[in-house]
Amino acid sequence: MSAPETAVHDSRPRSRSHPQARAIRLGPRSVAALALVSATGVAGFAWPLFAGPGSQVSAHAQDAPWLFAGLLVLLIAVVAATISESGLGPKAVAMLGVLAATGAALRPIGAGTAGIEPMFFLMVLSGRVLGPGFGFVLGSVTMFASALLTGGVGPWMPFQMLAMGWFTMGAGLLPGADRLRGRGELLMLAGYGFLAAFAYGTVMNLAGWPFMDALASNVAFDPHSAVPANLARFLAYCLATSLGWDLGRAVVTVVLTLTVGGTLLKALRRATRRAAFESPVTFDPR
């Protein structure tokens, strides 16, 4: 008789942290495309602060936002196509559609009420779980869909798409994606959401600020003034027009993150694991 078989147990310690799955893995081409559109976006947002009184850009203060808006639409499309070529599979597209539709539906909830914008909370958590590449596409697509839903289509829309793409991508770049969990992660996301809500409002102010008539207000962009003078005007403009709205957006994002963020993070991670974005396709030789 043969000796009975005994079960062999692996006594090696197992890590409790598992690498977080990513719906999109950014390759060199995707990173290069993101860098290009981001650099162009920075120029599109901040050109009033860089252009001197005698520059040709300042001479076209009313035309420049339209030019940058048209350029950003093309560049965002290029980035989306590049990221898609890098591996945006059907399961990632399905999740992108669900999250973008949810975000677009959440945005009108706070229409007309300062700061009640729960869409930002969803973008922070989605970017955290699904990564920076997926986050950039999600933020841009969500803002585009919400603009169509609310009728907010105009020269400001490409700037909103880019700013929301940055906002969501930044959440995916935060440290500790594979290890940090629990209260510490929620506090980090709440802090990021608070700061990013103000950053979003500030860069969007830059997009609309040059449209103001310099003769109508002493906080409007003046193409004939030097850069320090225009910077002081812009800071005064932010304090006078959007500080309350940005503060409300930041507070709502923090409150929602700390109260229901843990539950939503678990749901997103469970859905990501079940989707198995990174599982290779194999065939059984039998």
Side-chain angles (χ1 to χ4, degrees):
M1 296 179 61
S2 60
E5 296 182 357
T6 57
V8 178
H9 298 280
D10 188 356
S11 60
R12 291 176 298 178
R14 295 182 180 181
S15 174
R16 298 180 61 184
S17 62
H18 302 280
Q20 184 165 293
R22 297 298 192 192
I24 298 175
R25 287 289 183 183
L26 292 178
R29 287 183 299 176
S30 301
V31 172
L34 277 172
L36 174 62
V37 72
S38 296
T40 307
V42 169
F45 278 113
W47 67 265
L49 301 179
F50 298 148
S55 68
Q56 291 297 318
V57 178
S58 295
H60 296 277
Q62 298 300 317
D63 303 332
W66 292 89
L67 174 62
F68 279 114
L71 183 60
L72 285 177
V73 170
L74 297 176
L75 288 177
I76 291 173
V78 170
V79 170
T82 304
I83 291 177
S84 175
E85 186 181 358
S86 300
L88 188 61
K91 292 182 287 187
V93 171
M95 182 165 285
L96 176 66
V98 170
L99 292 174
T102 304
L106 286 174
R107 192 182 181 200
I109 291 178
T113 306
I116 302 179
E117 297 183 86
M119 180 183 73
F120 287 81
F121 145 77
L122 177 63
M123 294 297 103
V124 170
L125 300 188
S126 300
R128 171 64 172 176
V129 172
L130 293 161
F134 188 94
F136 182 85
V137 177
L138 174 63
S140 300
V141 171
T142 302
M143 191 56 71
F144 177 76
S146 66
L148 297 179
L149 183 64
T150 60
V153 178
W156 55 85
M157 186 186 70
F159 293 96
Q160 289 178 327
M161 292 172 62
L162 181 59
M164 185 56 68
W166 285 340
F167 181 96
T168 314
M169 180 176 68
L173 293 172
L174 293 174
D178 297 332
R179 301 176 304 277
L180 185 61
R181 294 292 185 271
R183 195 67 176 176
E185 183 180 33
L186 290 179
L187 289 174
M188 181 184 68
L189 292 176
Y192 170 79
F194 184 86
L195 296 176
F198 281 98
Y200 175 86
T202 301
V203 297
M204 285 310 304
N205 284 340
L206 274 174
W209 181 50
F211 281 111
M212 296 182 62
D213 187 357
L215 299 178
S217 172
N218 59 358
V219 298
F221 170 64
D222 185 1
H224 304 293
S225 297
V227 173
N230 270 323
L231 180 59
R233 285 170 173 263
F234 176 68
L235 293 177
Y237 172 77
C238 292
L239 292 174
T241 59
S242 66
L243 179 61
W245 191 282
D246 294 340
L247 179 61
R249 180 192 302 120
V251 171
V252 168
T253 302
V254 169
V255 170
L256 289 177
T257 300
L258 294 179
T259 53
V260 299
T263 302
L264 186 54
L265 282 173
K266 291 178 181 178
L268 287 171
R269 286 186 170 121
R270 182 168 57 250
T272 302
R273 287 194 301 270
R274 291 182 176 179
F277 295 114
E278 299 176 339
S279 296
V281 178
T282 58
F283 297 94
D284 190 345
R286 292 174 296 179

